[in-house]
Amino acid sequence: NYLRMLSEAFVLGRAPRYDLQGKALLTVNEKYFAGDHGLIWALLGYQDRLLAGVLENIVWAELRRRGYTVTVGKSGEREIDFVAERAGDRVYVQVATTMTGGEDLRRRELTPLRAAGDAYPKFVVSLDRLAGGNDGGIRHAYLPRFLLADDY
């Protein structure tokens, strides 16, 4: 009941899980995001370990602002941070603080996007200033550029 009331008051926003293999919304394990990510800093103070979650929160809010219906993708044991749909279009987005942490990090972020198995646009958004390019159809984007761009 608390989560429902906080969602209705726009303090939190709910992102249900979407099973990419079964093509259906799951009724359990949804994620909740702060309606204003400033609440996270206000309640918990700045902590480096919270940065990845705050970046996800920022991207979730921006996708919603752009009119997307946002879910969390589930493909087997893998998770795609966001599956965003609008007017029949879909985009997949992974959010990472950085992609320069070695091959294990790259594999962890890219594997779920590769497993999606369709031709919709796929992005990894990070704080890497030199992010760009394309890795097997998955575009890399610097977070501020992603937030300011009109074509995503």
Side-chain angles (χ1 to χ4, degrees):
N1 285 337
Y2 288 118
L3 290 174
R4 183 180 48 79
M5 288 187 278
L6 289 169
S7 294
E8 288 174 1
F10 301 106
V11 175
L12 295 178
R14 179 178 168 269
R17 291 198 185 269
Y18 179 75
D19 181 6
L20 295 168
Q21 294 168 337
K23 302 200 183 312
L25 286 177
L26 302 174
T27 58
V28 295
N29 296 328
E30 62 269 358
K31 279 183 148 178
Y32 286 87
F33 294 92
D36 179 347
H37 65 273
L39 293 171
I40 299 167
W41 299 134
L43 293 172
L44 303 174
Y46 179 82
Q47 300 174 35
D48 286 344
R49 67 180 180 81
L50 299 176
L51 184 57
V54 170
L55 295 179
E56 274 191 33
N57 205 103
I58 291 168
V59 172
W60 170 82
E62 178 61 18
L63 290 169
R64 298 269 317 224
R65 186 193 69 76
R66 292 179 184 186
Y68 285 99
T69 299
V70 182
T71 58
V72 176
K74 181 96 169 108
S75 179
E77 295 300 313
R78 298 181 180 105
E79 178 180 288
I80 296 176
D81 291 333
F82 302 114
V83 178
E85 296 184 357
R86 176 181 66 188
D89 287 330
R90 177 184 291 175
V91 64
Y92 298 101
V93 181
Q94 283 288 82
V95 181
T97 309
T98 183
M99 288 295 285
T100 60
E103 192 54 40
D104 286 342
L105 172 68
R106 292 181 61 75
R107 189 177 312 109
R108 187 181 74 225
E109 297 297 337
L110 297 176
T111 298
L113 293 171
R114 289 184 178 127
D118 59 32
Y120 289 110
K122 297 167 182 72
F123 296 91
V124 173
V125 179
S126 74
L127 291 177
D128 297 329
R129 288 185 184 270
L130 299 177
N134 189 317
D135 187 336
I138 300 169
R139 295 194 292 181
H140 296 237
Y142 176 48
L143 179 65
R145 276 189 288 247
F146 182 83
L147 296 174
L148 294 172
D150 292 330
D151 60 346
Y152 298 127

